[in-house]
Amino acid sequence: MTEKIYYFDNNATTKIDPYVLEEMLPYLTDFYGNSSSMHDFGGGLGDVVEKARKQVADLLGAEDPSEIIFTSCGTESDNAAINSAILSQPGKKHLVTSKVEHPAIINYFEMLEKRGYEVTWLDVDDQGLLSVDDVTGAIREDTALVSLMWANNETGVIFPVEEIASELKNRGVVFHTDAVQAAGKIPIDLKNNDITMLSISGHKLHAPKGIGALYVRRKTMFKPFVVGGHQERGRRAGTTPVAQIVAFGTACELAVKNMEKENTEVKKLRDLLEKLIAENVKSVEFLGHRDKRLPNTANISFGYVEGEAILLLLSENNIAASSGSACSSGSLEPSHVLRAMGKPFETCHASIRFSLSIYNTEEEVRHVCSVLPGIISELRKISPFTPAELR
């Protein structure tokens, strides 16, 4: 019998919803044709792809499903947005982003710096918040793109992207937002804001890995990142992964239905987790703004211990959490997000991220909070930095 896993790492990836899997499976087993084929067995699958495109558009509040381009993941969507912006404006060599972005943005921008582009790296405050004035103050005549995440993957802190988008539209600047963490957790209404391009990923909202989407507002000049066949109206080449797309569309439809639950029940569980930890563990610091954050995310630093050691002992108790972005795991460097917030190395190295989903329960939260104090206590006993009163 498989042991129960207490999964609190949903910002890294989520389980596939059983209904999503049920809807997906026939397109792996029975209806496996190529949707670009001339015959009905393959070509007839175009209708289910377009149904899914509308489901994604509905989650994002897009005006037209044709604004949705299917990709392989959030990273590809981010890269495609950046690539299109710079190719569409070859005379502009200035880019703007923040110091707390996902590696999909940071590493691409660093590569572009080596190719002669100038990047303005915006600061955040000690709560992880970004100033709209800092964004607008960074704009120049040669600014090709501003790319800022909607919600941070490590702290859950939400940026004022809709206000930023409005300001940038008035200045004629292309604006892309990485909404991989935000989609399905907070409302998005692209019909009523000025965001130019937006990235999301299926595996962050209970669809399988290997499918994502890029929203491109109508009348926006777009240059493809993946070049080849005619798929996605010539905007993203590659054989259409019908099963993954069906799953993604179904997951987006469920996300619309579960949005209220994310912001009530999941938030209540996240708050309970923080409350119990604060009551039972001394010398902890809650990182990121308390209110302007996703309803599912808690980032907590436990003084005088190493985050990696906490994670290993949690894992021995079948509890899955994280020390930051899963895309940066294995690095001994402290979180770039927390460092950008001005946190000392000791705080960064002692931080743990708990991220919940609609599948978490109060029993699971209470179990984690019954195990965690003992782990912290044992680690502090062997830490040379622990003051006497905490041993």
Side-chain angles (χ1 to χ4, degrees):
M1 181 177 178
T2 303
E3 292 187 75
K4 177 177 175 60
I5 299 297
Y6 296 84
Y7 190 74
F8 286 78
D9 198 17
N10 288 278
N11 284 9
T13 197
T14 59
K15 69 175 287 185
I16 298 179
D17 184 283
Y19 180 63
V20 169
L21 181 61
E22 179 184 336
E23 291 293 294
M24 172 189 186
L25 282 176
Y27 298 95
L28 291 173
T29 55
D30 299 326
F31 308 110
Y32 52 82
N34 189 322
S35 62
S36 296
S37 299
M38 293 294 292
H39 50 73
D40 289 343
F41 181 68
L45 297 174
D47 288 344
V48 298
V49 171
E50 293 313 308
K51 176 186 176 182
R53 197 184 309 277
K54 185 178 186 305
Q55 290 168 319
V56 176
D58 288 346
L59 173 64
L60 301 178
E63 187 171 357
D64 193 317
S66 67
E67 296 173 306
I68 304 300
I69 302 171
F70 287 117
T71 66
S72 65
C73 60
T75 292
E76 183 193 330
S77 297
D78 287 345
N79 285 192
I82 299 167
N83 178 75
S84 177
I86 62 176
L87 291 184
S88 300
Q89 305 168 93
K92 296 184 176 183
K93 300 292 184 179
H94 177 238
L95 307 166
V96 178
T97 191
S98 82
K99 294 179 180 178
V100 300
E101 299 298 311
H102 188 275
I105 298 295
I106 288 180
N107 291 341
Y108 202 108
F109 273 31
E110 287 180 345
M111 179 187 72
L112 290 174
E113 280 186 311
K114 295 175 182 177
R115 296 182 180 180
Y117 282 81
E118 185 177 348
V119 179
T120 296
W121 300 93
L122 299 172
D123 291 314
V124 295
D125 67 15
D126 63 353
Q127 299 296 306
L129 297 175
L130 180 72
S131 164
V132 176
D133 289 341
D134 285 352
V135 179
T136 56
I139 302 306
R140 307 186 328 202
E141 289 187 4
D142 65 337
T143 301
L145 174 70
V146 174
S147 181
L148 297 166
M149 56 179 28
W150 197 312
N152 189 268
N153 49 299
E154 294 191 28
T155 63
V157 171
I158 297 169
F159 283 173
V161 294
E162 292 171 308
E163 183 180 352
I164 291 169
S166 178
E167 293 287 343
L168 295 179
K169 181 185 179 183
N170 294 336
R171 291 164 170 78
V173 177
V174 175
F175 178 51
H176 163 256
T177 184
D178 178 335
V180 165
Q181 294 295 339
K185 299 186 183 100
I186 57 176
I188 296 175
D189 188 7
L190 291 167
K191 288 191 296 292
N192 292 303
N193 64 45
D194 297 306
I195 292 167
T196 317
M197 293 185 281
L198 177 147
S199 303
I200 61 172
S201 182
H203 77 102
K204 301 299 171 104
L205 40 77
H206 305 291
K209 299 168 185 65
I211 187 68
L214 176 65
Y215 162 86
V216 180
R217 187 172 293 277
R218 285 194 301 175
K219 300 182 180 179
T220 299
M221 187 178 296
F222 185 79
K223 302 286 186 180
F225 182 59
V226 179
V227 178
H230 64 277
Q231 293 89 353
E232 296 299 291
R233 297 171 61 196
R235 298 175 297 177
R236 200 281 186 181
T239 302
T240 303
V242 176
Q244 287 92 331
I245 288 173
V246 168
F248 192 18
T250 304
C252 287
E253 184 176 86
L254 292 178
V256 173
K257 296 176 181 178
N258 289 324
M259 188 78 68
E260 182 179 354
K261 187 175 182 180
E262 287 277 356
N263 288 274
T264 53
E265 296 179 29
V266 175
K267 181 179 182 295
K268 182 179 178 180
L269 291 178
R270 189 273 315 273
D271 292 347
L272 175 63
L273 176 83
E274 293 185 336
K275 176 178 180 290
L276 292 175
I277 290 174
E279 290 174 350
N280 293 286
V281 184
K282 295 179 180 179
S283 190
V284 298
E285 180 180 356
F286 296 95
L287 304 172
H289 196 277
R290 297 294 79 206
D291 299 318
K292 297 177 181 178
R293 58 172 170 156
L294 297 174
N296 80 315
T297 306
N299 195 309
I300 307 167
S301 183
F302 299 87
Y304 313 107
V305 294
E306 287 286 336
E308 289 82 359
I310 300 172
L311 290 178
L312 286 172
L313 292 179
L314 285 173
S315 184
E316 287 181 3
N317 287 273
N318 296 327
I319 298 168
S322 172
S323 59
S325 170
C327 297
S328 299
S329 65
S331 171
L332 295 178
E333 292 298 315
S335 161
H336 72 284
V337 174
L338 301 183
R339 289 297 292 153
M341 291 164 59
K343 302 301 178 183
F345 281 88
E346 295 80 9
T347 299
C348 299
H349 279 299
S351 69
I352 300 295
R353 180 189 69 188
F354 297 94
S355 47
L356 289 73
S357 81
I358 58 173
Y359 291 105
N360 287 114
T361 66
E362 181 176 338
E363 181 273 329
E364 290 178 334
V365 169
R366 291 189 180 277
H367 175 76
V368 169
C369 293
S370 70
V371 172
L372 184 62
I375 289 174
I376 302 302
S377 177
E378 288 302 310
L379 291 174
R380 283 177 174 168
K381 287 178 183 178
I382 61 175
S383 171
F385 305 107
T386 306
E389 63 269 20
L390 291 180
R391 289 185 181 275

